[in-house]
């Protein structure tokens, strides 16, 4: 039995009907609730009835059944929310009035009157919340408490202006803030149901010490101690204070004042010239570290980790600042790094786990900063080699590798510690990578990293070791030849590490080493362009190294031994990518050697182009040898790029360009012998041969190409007819494509540069006949080739008239027409899309 409609369609219909019913049910329920609210009598007393002056009162008019909107009545503002808004606005207005009275209307009353008014209003505002709280009016009490707080600040201002006008401003402010903090704290503890006084007391407590230091004209060290003492007070309140609001306010104040105090101490420590000058900032930093540890001991996890991080960084800055005082700045970074490494020993201390993790992060942060501070020499060693592109083969520079890099004017003596830092960190990470399990056991419960962290440590160690060795020749100021040789050996060593890592399944280490090797190879290659002999030597070494890497990574079964399935899959994928990249790098090196050979022979660029074709010749042979291996296609594509470079080199000379195109066609035809390359290489070979013919004819000054192309076209079309008779299913492109393009395309180019009318006319007639024949016989090649040639020929003939018409039109008309066209196309987009699809299907059905 067949379902009508089908089950899937019926299920969709049922789902839509159920959804519609659910929506209708919800709508009816909402309407029912509204009707019940209308019919239910109000809870309040009935409205008084007034007698009408004449006759009985009119009957009550029933409510229209659909007078109310279809839905629930609009929600009214909550009484408590409206009350809070009104009280907040009232308190704000009273506060503004008090400030205006104090600051603007101050001069209209005597001293006693002014003081009495403020005192009375303040006492009333302070006393009112207690009575209001007893009556349960907490919101009103909060508003008056806030007003009382503002009035207390105004009282302090009035006291300074009236009773002590000659007192020092910062000193009086320090005393006033301390007194206000005590008063607000007592008031908040007395009326513990008020939420504002205690946080205000904490905020006011941030100011006394700072204002006192300001009034005393103290130096930066005293300001630092004032900030840290305030932070210690905040830390204590944050740990033991009553209420969440008080603790949060104290925590924010602790972090703010603590970080400011540590910043002051760090600036003094870094600028100290002697160890005695660094002792005071060190004590300040250690005090900050102690406060951070004290707060982190009982803080939640996130704050505890942050406190441990801050304590560790402060301790390193304190000890490192004393050690580096009097030492040259370039050697200060290793001292700080040493302190950061020693900090790792604290993981064995009896500390809470989050605090210990914060100390580990502090050590990592110090190490990262040290590495970043040592990175500039590496960047200059890599990027400076680009300057050799402007002076290729200008000779080995006299100033050594620094002159080759264009950085001989820099103060390299200040960068001597950079390679040391990079190599030390690389050694530490390498040791951690090799002894990872022992390191995790020694760390205990503080850190428990997974295997991914071990792989990351190995990869970072590889990168830092390569970076340190890369910067070493420039830092030491080695001669040019020695530096280039060292860079070449380093590239070979890094590629060896990449091969070893990938063959043993260490994908992270191998990939990092590969990236470093590629960057080093580019830098060494650019650096070698200064001298001719060095260019051949370095690129030959790079060619051998890249080829060796591709050969050594050919065994894709090696990385899967003893590895889980997922890791084995990733290792094999990474190995194939590296193999392809290294093989392509070898081809690029061969291209550079071929170009250098042409320059050494004194050949012009276009005369050296055939030498460049030796590279794609080798890649074609290698592709046939490699067959379906993963690296075959990248190698052949890179060889094709070398052929394209040869074509570009030969463009200035027509005969050489024709020769290079013909030789490239031979290479493409040789590649097309292989079945897997035939669909692309066959058409490419045909296009190159035809293009070589056109170029040769143009270079020979031939003005009538038909004399050379028609003798080829006629037999080619005859062969196509015979092919179609034997195999009616054969494509029209295979049968007639080559024969048509051999004559039509050169004639089209000739027609575009022909000032007479006969050639375009004959070409247009021939193209029209071919187009009509293609449409009649349903042959795709004839229709498309003939139509394209006919259209381009018509454009050539009509172009002058179109230009004249466009020049005569107003400037606004072409944009308007274009906009109108876009609107029409957009409005009929679906129809145009269907037309295009039908046209595509019609053409696609042709042979």
């Amino acid at each position: 039995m067949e379902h009508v409609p089908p089950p899937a369609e019926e299920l969709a219909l049922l789902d839509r009907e159920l959804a519609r019913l659910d929506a209708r049910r919800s709508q009816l329920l909402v309407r029912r609730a509204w009707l019940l609210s209308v019919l239910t009598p109000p809870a309040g007393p009935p409205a008084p009835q007034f007698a009408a002056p004449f006759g009985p009162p009119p009957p009550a008019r029933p409510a229209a059944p659909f007078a109310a909107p279809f839905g629930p009545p609009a929600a009214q503002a909550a009484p408590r929310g409206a009350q809070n808004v009104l009280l907040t606005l009232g308190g704000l207005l009273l506060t503004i009035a008090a400030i205006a009275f104090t600051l603007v209307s101050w001069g209209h009353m005597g001293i006693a009157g002014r003081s009495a008014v403020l005192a009375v209003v303040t006492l009333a505002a302070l006393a009112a919340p207690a009575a209001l709280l007893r009556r349960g009016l907490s919101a009103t009490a909060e508003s008056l408490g806030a007003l009382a707080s503002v009035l207390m600040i105004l009282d302090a201002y009035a006291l300074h202006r009236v009773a002590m006008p000659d007192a020092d401003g910062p000193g009086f402010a320090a005393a006033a803030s301390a007194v206000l903090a005590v008063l607000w704290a007592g008031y908040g503890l007395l009326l513990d149901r008020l939420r504002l006084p205690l946080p205000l007391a904490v905020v006011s407590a941030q100011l006394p010490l700072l204002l006192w230091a300001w009034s005393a004209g103290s130096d930066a060290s005293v300001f630092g101690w004032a900030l840290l003492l305030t932070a210690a007070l905040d830390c204590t309140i944050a740990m033991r204070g009553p209420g969440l609001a008080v603790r949060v306010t104290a925590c924010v104040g602790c972090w703010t004042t603590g970080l400011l105090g540590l910043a002051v101490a760090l600036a003094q420590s870094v600028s100290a010239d002697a160890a005695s000058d660094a002792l005071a900032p060190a004590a300040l930093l250690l005090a900050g570290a102690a406060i951070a540890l004290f707060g982190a001991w009982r803080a939640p996890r996130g704050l505890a980790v942050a406190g441990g991080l801050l304590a560790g960084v402060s301790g390193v800055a304190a000890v490192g600042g004393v050690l580096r005082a009097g030492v040259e700045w370039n050697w200060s970074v290793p001292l700080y790094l040493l302190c950061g490494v020693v900090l790792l020993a604290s993981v064995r201390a009896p500390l809470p786990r989050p605090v210990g993790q914060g100390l580990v992060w502090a050590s990592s942060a110090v190490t990262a900063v040290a590495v970043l501070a040592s990175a500039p020499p590496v960047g200059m060693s890599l990027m400076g080699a680009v300057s050799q592109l402007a002076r290729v083969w200008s000779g080995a520079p006299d100033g050594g590798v620094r002159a080759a890099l264009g950085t001989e004017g820099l103060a390299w003596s200040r960068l001597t510690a950079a390679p040391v830092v990079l190599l030390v960190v690389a050694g530490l990470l390498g040791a951690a990578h090799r002894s990872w399990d022992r390191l995790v056991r020694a760390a205990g419960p503080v850190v428990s990293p997974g295997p991914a962290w071990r792989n990351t440590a190995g990869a970072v160690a590889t990168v830092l070791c390569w970076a340190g060795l890369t910067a070493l020749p420039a830092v030491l100021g080695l001669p040019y030849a020695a530096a280039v040789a060292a860079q070449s050996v380093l590239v070979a060593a890094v590629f060896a590490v990449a091969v070893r890592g990938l063959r043993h399944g260490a994908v992270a280490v191998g990939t990092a080493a590969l990236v470093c090797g590629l960057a080093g190879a580019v830098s060494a290659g650019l650096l070698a362009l200064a001298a001719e002999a060095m260019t051949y030597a370095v690129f030959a070494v790079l060619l051998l190294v890249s080829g060796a890497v591709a050969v050594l990574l050919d065994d894709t079964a090696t990385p899967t031994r003893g590895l889980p399935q997922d890791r084995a899959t990733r290792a094999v994928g990474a190995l194939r990518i590296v193999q392809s990249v290294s093989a392509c790098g070898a081809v690029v090196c061969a291209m550079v050697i071929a170009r250098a050979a042409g320059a050494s022979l004194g050949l012009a660029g276009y005369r050296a182009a055939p030498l460049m074709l030796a590279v794609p010749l080798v890649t074609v042979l290698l592709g046939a040898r490699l067959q379906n291996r993963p690296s075959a296609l990248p190698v052949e594509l890179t060889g094709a790029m070398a052929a394209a470079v040869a074509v570009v080199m030969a463009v200035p000379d027509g005969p050489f360009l024709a020769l290079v195109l013909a030789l490239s066609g031979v290479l493409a035809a040789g590649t097309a012998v292989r079945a897997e390359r035939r669909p692309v290489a066959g058409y490419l070979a045909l296009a190159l041969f035809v293009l070589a013919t056109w170029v040769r004819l143009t270079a020979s000054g031939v003005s009538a190409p038909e004399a050379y192309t028609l003798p080829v076209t006629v037999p080619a079309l005859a062969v196509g007819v015979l092919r179609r008779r034997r195999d009616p299913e054969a494509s029209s492109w295979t049968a007639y494509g080559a024969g048509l393009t051999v004559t039509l395309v050169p004639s089209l180019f000739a027609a575009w540069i022909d000032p007479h009318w006969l050639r375009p006319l004959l070409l247009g007639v021939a193209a029209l006949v071919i187009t009509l024949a293609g449409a009649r016989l349903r042959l795709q090649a004839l229709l498309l080739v003939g139509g394209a040639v006919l259209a381009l020929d018509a454009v050539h003939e009509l172009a002058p008239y179109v230009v004249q018409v466009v020049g005569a039109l107003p400037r606004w008309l072409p944009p308007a027409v274009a906009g109108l066209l876009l609107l029409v196309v957009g409005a009929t987009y679906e129809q145009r899309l269907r037309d295009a699809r039908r046209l595509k299907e019609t053409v696609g059905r042709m042979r």
Side-chain angles (χ1 to χ4, degrees), residues 332-600:
S332 300
V333 177
L335 293 176
Y336 283 111
L337 176 63
L338 177 62
C339 297
V341 173
V342 173
L343 182 63
L344 286 176
S346 61
V347 298
R348 302 296 298 174
L351 297 172
R353 189 170 186 267
V355 178
Q357 290 177 346
L359 293 177
V360 172
W361 281 110
S363 177
S364 303
V366 172
T367 304
V369 172
V371 169
L372 291 177
S374 305
V378 182
M380 290 186 288
S381 299
L382 293 175
M383 300 303 297
V386 180
S387 62
Q388 286 300 326
L389 292 175
R391 48 180 187 272
V392 177
W393 288 7
S394 59
D398 297 331
V401 66
R402 295 178 182 175
L405 295 174
T407 58
E408 64 273 16
L410 297 178
W412 284 94
S413 59
R414 299 181 181 179
L415 303 174
T416 52
V420 177
V421 172
L422 296 174
L423 293 176
V424 167
V425 176
L428 293 174
L429 291 176
H433 176 72
R434 293 182 61 87
S435 306
W436 188 257
D437 296 333
R438 187 184 308 170
L439 181 65
V440 172
R441 288 195 301 269
V446 175
V447 289
S448 54
W453 286 96
R454 178 181 184 180
N455 298 332
T456 302
V460 175
T462 303
V463 173
L464 293 181
C465 182
W466 166 80
L469 295 176
T470 298
L472 198 59
V475 171
L476 297 178
L478 295 180
Y480 170 74
V484 175
Q487 293 283 5
S488 302
V489 172
L490 178 60
V491 170
V494 172
F495 274 121
V497 173
V499 171
R500 177 179 174 81
L502 292 172
R503 288 180 65 89
H504 289 80
V507 178
V509 176
T511 305
L514 173 69
V515 174
C516 295
L518 293 175
V522 173
S523 177
L526 293 175
L527 202 61
L529 296 177
E532 181 178 358
M534 194 64 68
T535 301
Y536 285 108
V538 170
F539 279 97
V541 170
L542 295 178
L543 173 62
L544 294 176
V545 170
S546 301
V549 171
V551 172
L552 291 174
L553 295 180
D554 189 52
D555 186 9
T556 58
T558 301
T560 62
R561 297 173 184 173
L563 293 178
Q565 184 64 32
D566 55 344
R567 289 188 59 192
T569 303
R570 289 197 301 269
V572 170
L575 183 144
R576 291 177 177 176
I577 293 174
V578 173
Q579 183 184 16
S580 301
V581 170
S582 58
C584 295
V587 176
V588 172
C589 293
M591 291 170 58
V592 175
I593 293 175
R595 182 65 185 92
S600 298

Side-chain angles (χ1 to χ4, degrees), residues 24-35 69-73:
R24 180 60 178 168
R25 184 175 184 274
S26 301
Q27 190 178 25
L28 294 175
L29 287 175
V30 170
R31 183 64 180 173
R32 180 179 181 275
W34 179 81
L35 291 174
F70 198 82

Side-chain angles (χ1 to χ4, degrees), residues 135 193 224 367 493 623-624 659:
R135 294 178 177 271
R193 293 173 60 185
T367 304
L659 174 62

Side-chain angles (χ1 to χ4, degrees), residues 694 741 744-754 759-761 763-765 767-768 771 783-800 802:
W694 299 339
T741 55
L744 290 179
V745 177
S747 298
L748 179 63
F749 281 102
W752 270 68
I753 60 176
D754 192 345
R759 186 193 301 274
L761 176 61
L763 179 62
V765 171
L768 177 60
T771 304
L783 178 64
L784 295 182
V785 173
V789 173
L790 179 62
L792 292 175
D793 186 64
V795 168
H796 172 264
E797 293 301 308
L798 295 177
V802 173

